[in-house]
Amino acid sequence: MSLNQPKSKSRIGMRKILTVTLALLLCLTFAAPPVYAAGILPWGNASMDQPCVNVTIKNTRAELRWDEIEGADAYQIYRKYGTGGQYRLIVTTTATTFDDIYHNSFSTENERKLFKDKERYYVDPTKNPMVYTVAAVQLDSDGNVTQTSGYKESGFYSLQTPTVLKISVKDKKANITWKTVANAKQYDLFYGNVKNGGVTWAKATTVTAGSGQTQSASIPASSNYYTVQARDGDIVSARDGSLYVGTRNHRKSRILFLGDSLTYGEPYPKTIGYSASYPTRVAQNTGAYVYNAGIGGATVGIRKGSYSIYRDETLNLASGKTPNKPQSSPMPEAKYSLQDYDIIVIEGGANDYSRGVSLGSFGNMDTSTFYGAYSTMMQTIRKASQKRIADGKKPIKVVCTGMFFSDKNYTDPVHPVSKYKRKNSKGFTYQDYENAIVKEAKEWNKSKYLSVYLYDPKDYSYLTEENSSMNTVDNLHMKAWTYCKIGDSITNFLRNEVWK
C-alpha cells in the first residue's frame, strides 16, 4: 500500500517528523500492537476512532456490525484463528457491515478443520475460535490507504455459554463437568441460592481452561444450583448453561428414548455424543434410569440402507435385545425390555423426510411407510404394556415427540428454507410428517393399554427459524447448550404432564 507522493524535500522532512510523532502518540494513547499485521500501517490518524465491532457467531457465517467512523473512507476487516493467532486482512469494504461466509473464506488448514460436515459449510458456534477486528482507513484517489485508525489488538468475538453436562455429589463435594467453549482462558464456577423467587449466584472458584471438549472441577456442595461462566479477562459469557440437581426424585422410574441422531446427541466424529443429549440431561435432572437407543440416520419407516427406529430399536428391545446399531455407537447393552420401561419417548421423522420415506396413511400397516411403521411400532409398545398390566403394573406412558425445527439445505446453506415449506422427493414437507405424529398420538391415546402424550417442540423457544443458525451446528443437529435446554423442557413436561 502507498501514500501520496509529497511535492518537495522540505515537505518530506516535515512529513517524517509528523509521522514519527503521531506514531508515538498512538502507541501511548491506543496501546497499538508492536507488530502490525499486513495491511495496517504503523501510524494512525488520532482524529479517527477505532471501530467498535459487534460480532454474531452463526453456524455458516459470522455477522460483523459497527458504527460509521467520522473521516473514514473504508474499513479493513481482519481475522485470526484464536486469540493467540495472527491477524490477516480478509476484506476491505466501504460498508459498516460484513458477513464472513466460512464456506467462501476459510482457507488455512486450521480453519477448514472447523467444518462439521463433508460439504464444508457448517461450524459449531461453540467451538468457533475466530476473532475479528476492524480498522477505519482513509484512501487517496487511487484507493491506496493514506491513514488508518489502527485496530483493537484483542479483537472482537463472542464467548459462547459453557453448558453444565453432569454434576455428581459425594462427600460434600459437587463435581461439575461442562462443555468447553472456544477462546475461554478461564472458567468461573458458581453455586446458586433461591432468593426472592430467583436464583442468586455466588462464585466458588476459578479454574484455568483446559484443551479438551469437556472439563471438570469440584466445589463445596452447598447448593442445588450450579453453573459455569467462560472468561477471557473482562470478556465473559452468559451463565445460562446451569443445572439444577435438587429434584432427582424419580430414581425408581425407567425411561426409554427411541429416535435418530437428534436423540443420540452430538452426531459428528470427535464430539462427546451421549454426554450432550437430551436423554442424558433428563437423567441428570430426575435421577431416573435412562436408556438412549438413538441411532444416527435412523428412519421410522423401513428403508433399504437405513437403520429403522421401529425395526432396529423397538423390535429388538421388545425381545430384550440391544438395538442393532453401528459399531461406532457407544450404546450400552440393554438391561431391560420394552415392558420394563415406565415411560417411552419417541422421536423420529427427520430422516424419513430427507430420505424420501413415503408418508402412507393412517391405518395402513405397511412398514415401508412412515404411518405404517409408526403404527406398528406403537402396536409393539402396546403389547409390551399389556404384559406389564398382566403383571400388576401401570400401563406404559408414551410421549410422542413432534418434529424439531430444521432448515438444513445442502444447495444453499447460507440462505436456507425451512423444511416446513420445502417439499422432499416424495412431495411432502416436515409438516406432513408432523401431522402424522399428531394423528398417531391422538388415535393411540384411545387405547386402554397405553397413556399417550404429545410433546411439540414448536411450543418452545429453544429452536426456531430465527435462532436455528445459532443454536444448531448445522441447522439440524443441536449444539450442546440446545440439547440441554431440550432436556430441561422435556423434564418439565414429564413432571407437569406425565408424572402428575
Side-chain angles (χ1 to χ4, degrees):
M1 297 183 182
S2 63
L3 296 172
N4 289 330
Q5 295 295 321
K7 295 182 178 179
S8 68
K9 292 183 179 179
S10 61
R11 292 184 64 183
I12 290 175
M14 182 62 68
R15 186 64 173 270
K16 286 183 178 178
I17 293 171
L18 290 173
T19 297
V20 172
T21 302
L22 187 56
L24 290 172
L25 287 172
L26 278 174
C27 286
L28 294 172
T29 305
F30 295 105
V35 178
Y36 285 78
I40 290 290
L41 301 179
W43 57 82
N45 184 345
S47 65
M48 280 199 302
D49 294 329
Q50 295 180 3
C52 184
V53 185
N54 179 271
V55 179
T56 301
I57 300 296
K58 298 186 175 182
N59 55 27
T60 58
R61 63 192 183 276
E63 296 177 350
L64 282 63
R65 306 290 184 263
W66 61 93
D67 291 333
E68 184 177 356
I69 300 299
E70 184 176 356
D73 297 318
Y75 304 91
Q76 292 179 323
I77 299 173
Y78 288 78
R79 185 182 70 203
K80 62 181 178 179
Y81 185 90
T83 55
Q86 183 177 0
Y87 284 121
R88 61 189 178 93
L89 178 66
I90 59 174
V91 72
T92 299
T93 178
T94 58
T96 56
T97 66
F98 177 70
D99 288 356
D100 182 22
I101 310 299
Y102 310 140
H103 177 69
N104 297 331
S105 70
F106 280 7
S107 58
T108 69
E109 181 181 358
N110 282 337
E111 288 172 346
R112 296 183 72 81
K113 283 180 179 179
L114 293 174
F115 286 111
K116 292 296 183 183
D117 65 338
K118 61 184 179 182
E119 290 80 17
R120 293 185 176 272
Y121 289 128
Y122 298 100
V123 174
D124 181 350
T126 305
K127 303 306 292 181
N128 187 336
M130 292 302 164
V131 179
Y132 298 84
T133 196
V134 178
V137 297
Q138 292 179 342
L139 307 174
D140 63 16
S141 59
D142 295 325
N144 299 313
V145 174
T146 59
Q147 295 290 342
T148 172
S149 68
Y151 59 74
K152 183 178 179 181
E153 172 65 14
S154 57
F156 302 91
Y157 52 95
S158 176
L159 276 177
Q160 296 277 309
T161 303
T163 304
V164 178
L165 300 173
K166 181 180 179 182
I167 295 176
S168 57
V169 179
K170 185 178 181 181
D171 297 330
K172 297 182 179 181
K173 290 283 187 179
N175 188 66
I176 305 172
T177 300
W178 64 92
K179 177 72 180 286
T180 59
V181 298
N183 291 328
K185 297 296 187 297
Q186 296 174 311
Y187 293 100
D188 297 331
L189 278 61
F190 294 80
Y191 62 88
N193 293 304
V194 177
K195 187 176 182 180
N196 298 325
V199 179
T200 300
W201 296 103
K203 186 166 72 173
T205 190
T206 298
V207 298
T208 301
S211 59
Q213 292 195 65
T214 64
Q215 190 168 342
S216 299
S218 295
I219 63 174
S222 57
S223 171
N224 287 323
Y225 291 90
Y226 299 93
T227 194
V228 177
Q229 187 172 37
R231 177 179 295 279
D232 179 9
D234 294 332
I235 301 174
V236 295
S237 70
R239 283 199 307 244
D240 58 354
S242 60
L243 180 61
Y244 176 63
V245 298
T247 55
R248 292 178 173 174
N249 54 355
H250 292 282
R251 298 183 183 277
K252 294 182 179 180
S253 293
R254 295 174 186 163
I255 308 174
L256 169 65
F257 285 85
L258 302 170
D260 52 34
S261 59
L262 299 183
T263 294
Y264 167 85
E266 286 193 328
Y268 293 108
K270 299 181 181 179
T271 58
I272 56 178
Y274 274 15
S275 297
S277 68
Y278 54 80
T280 299
R281 185 70 165 193
V282 171
Q284 275 288 301
N285 284 335
T286 65
Y289 173 85
V290 169
Y291 188 81
N292 184 347
I295 298 174
T299 53
V300 175
I302 296 177
R303 175 185 178 275
K304 186 177 180 180
S306 298
Y307 287 96
S308 165
I309 296 170
Y310 159 61
R311 178 193 61 200
D312 296 292
E313 297 177 29
T314 312
L315 282 183
N316 277 286
L317 287 166
S319 303
K321 301 176 183 178
T322 300
N324 298 327
K325 64 185 188 304
Q327 289 185 349
S328 59
S329 173
M331 187 187 300
E333 293 298 310
K335 294 181 180 179
Y336 305 105
S337 63
L338 282 183
Q339 69 186 65
D340 299 315
Y341 288 96
D342 306 294
I343 299 171
I344 299 177
V345 182
I346 304 171
E347 173 273 324
N351 293 311
D352 296 81
Y353 165 88
S354 61
R355 299 186 178 186
V357 172
S358 294
L359 192 65
S361 58
F362 183 80
N364 185 331
M365 307 302 280
D366 179 358
T367 56
S368 67
T369 69
F370 184 78
Y371 261 120
Y374 207 105
S375 289
T376 308
M377 177 170 58
M378 293 295 290
Q379 188 178 70
T380 304
I381 296 172
R382 184 196 65 190
K383 291 179 180 178
S385 187
Q386 286 177 282
K387 294 179 182 178
R388 281 176 60 91
I389 294 171
D391 292 338
K393 299 179 182 178
K394 293 182 179 180
I396 294 175
K397 296 181 177 181
V398 181
V399 178
C400 298
T401 302
M403 305 286 281
F404 290 100
F405 179 83
S406 174
D407 56 8
K408 185 170 185 178
N409 186 350
Y410 292 107
T411 59
D412 187 7
V414 179
H415 307 94
V417 178
S418 167
K419 292 180 179 179
Y420 285 98
K421 301 174 184 177
R422 192 172 70 247
K423 293 183 179 180
N424 67 1
S425 61
K426 294 296 175 66
F428 301 114
T429 66
Y430 250 38
Q431 189 62 55
D432 294 319
Y433 294 90
E434 169 90 29
N435 292 341
I437 294 170
V438 173
K439 176 72 172 176
E440 290 285 342
K442 181 179 179 180
E443 293 299 323
W444 280 101
N445 195 42
K446 298 175 183 178
S447 171
K448 64 180 180 180
Y449 300 109
L450 293 174
S451 296
V452 182
Y453 307 82
L454 177 66
Y455 173 83
D456 191 348
K458 291 200 298 296
D459 293 338
Y460 307 92
S461 61
Y462 49 67
L463 194 57
T464 66
E465 187 169 7
E466 289 72 29
N467 63 30
S468 176
S469 61
M470 292 180 284
N471 290 349
T472 67
V473 300
D474 61 357
N475 290 355
L476 173 63
H477 304 93
M478 300 76 168
K479 66 181 186 181
W481 178 92
T482 314
Y483 276 120
C484 289
K485 291 299 178 184
I486 294 171
D488 292 342
S489 175
I490 291 177
T491 298
N492 290 332
F493 183 85
L494 294 177
R495 286 174 176 154
N496 296 331
E497 302 293 334
V498 181
W499 277 320
K500 65 177 182 179

